[in-house]
Amino acid sequence: MNEQYPVLPGAEPFYAENGPAGVLLVHGFTGTPHSMRPLAEAYAKAGYTVCLPRLKGHGTHYEDMERTTFRDWIDSVEEGYEWLKERCGTIFVTGLSMGGTLTLYMAERYPSIRGIVLINPAIDIPAIRAGLAAGDELPRYLDSIGSDLKNPDVKELAYEKTPTASLLQLARLMEQVKGELERVACPILIFVSNEDHVVPPENADIIFRGVRSSDKEIVRLKNSYHVATLDHDQPLVIERSLRFFAKHSK
């Protein structure tokens, strides 16, 4: 699938080749690597080999996204995983929102992943299910879901419209991943904002209960909305995730 539009400035992928432990970072639905860039740079500075891909159909134009399927998004993440596997013996995955859904997918499929970090992960969004059940009544494009940030001085680089066809793909991805949560056995750290206007915070509890992992923890974020990676709690997310990697790299 060829994308018709150029990549938006700031939406480029990020790679850093450092030590033998690697981190794959996955951005969210309609978003771009921009939302995960501060984490990627912090992980690289800490000595990790880092791969932050741009998901297919993202970071260009919402018409590109409309033509992609959730399999295309999985392909993008798996390509990043293969890039890391060639360079690292230990691999962690960190995902925001739908990036968290895709991170869970990877943990379900690749038991060699050492641990995963989820940030406001999406697994069940009733509003999407209700909207899609309405069927033909929905317009082709809905409003943007980007930039749900408590910090008024920060803006997320995301699409200004959300293709309804892409929401259907997201719903299918969440349904598939939710149905196989018990396959996740690796250590898991979940960050969840107390107030989130995109993904219900209860998603974190559904995941926490559903995975088989014995080493699992939820960290509640009190000062961020959905895009916590760019919000007030960003330093906490970076510090706690680096601690998690260090603990499980041994």
Side-chain angles (χ1 to χ4, degrees), residues 78-89:
E78 289 184 327
E79 284 165 18
Y81 177 73
E82 291 301 325
W83 184 89
L84 277 175
K85 221 169 104 178
E86 289 168 11
R87 294 160 175 81
C88 303

Side-chain angles (χ1 to χ4, degrees), residues 163-215:
T164 300
S166 302
L167 279 174
L168 179 60
Q169 293 298 319
L170 172 58
R172 287 176 177 162
L173 173 66
M174 289 192 296
E175 185 179 21
Q176 178 178 327
V177 172
K178 186 182 179 186
E180 300 188 273
L181 279 176
E182 76 283 347
R183 294 177 67 170
V184 179
C186 65
I188 178 169
L189 177 63
I190 307 174
F191 293 98
V192 59
S193 298
N194 289 340
E195 189 173 347
D196 185 328
H197 309 102
V198 179
V199 174
E202 300 79 51
N203 277 235
D205 301 300
I206 295 169
I207 293 164
F208 190 84
R209 290 193 303 267
V211 296
R212 203 167 76 243
S213 315
S214 56
D215 187 331

Side-chain angles (χ1 to χ4, degrees), residues 1-5 57 61-69 72 140 163 165-166:
M1 187 207 72
N2 293 321
E3 291 169 329
Q4 294 186 342
Y5 296 89
H61 191 282
Y62 52 82
E63 287 181 0
D64 273 340
M65 183 176 186
E66 191 177 30
R67 289 192 297 271
T68 60
T69 68
D72 293 318
R140 183 175 171 187
S166 302

Side-chain angles (χ1 to χ4, degrees), residues 13-17 44 50-54 80 83:
F14 175 86
Y15 301 90
E17 295 195 49
V50 170
C51 176
L52 168 53
R54 177 180 63 85
W83 184 89

Side-chain angles (χ1 to χ4, degrees), residues 89-118:
T90 299
I91 297 174
F92 297 95
V93 189
T94 302
L96 166 69
S97 192
M98 181 183 79
T101 323
L102 290 163
T103 297
L104 286 164
Y105 174 90
M106 294 298 288
E108 290 170 1
R109 293 291 183 290
Y110 299 92
S112 61
I113 288 172
R114 190 67 63 90
I116 59 174
V117 175
L118 309 176

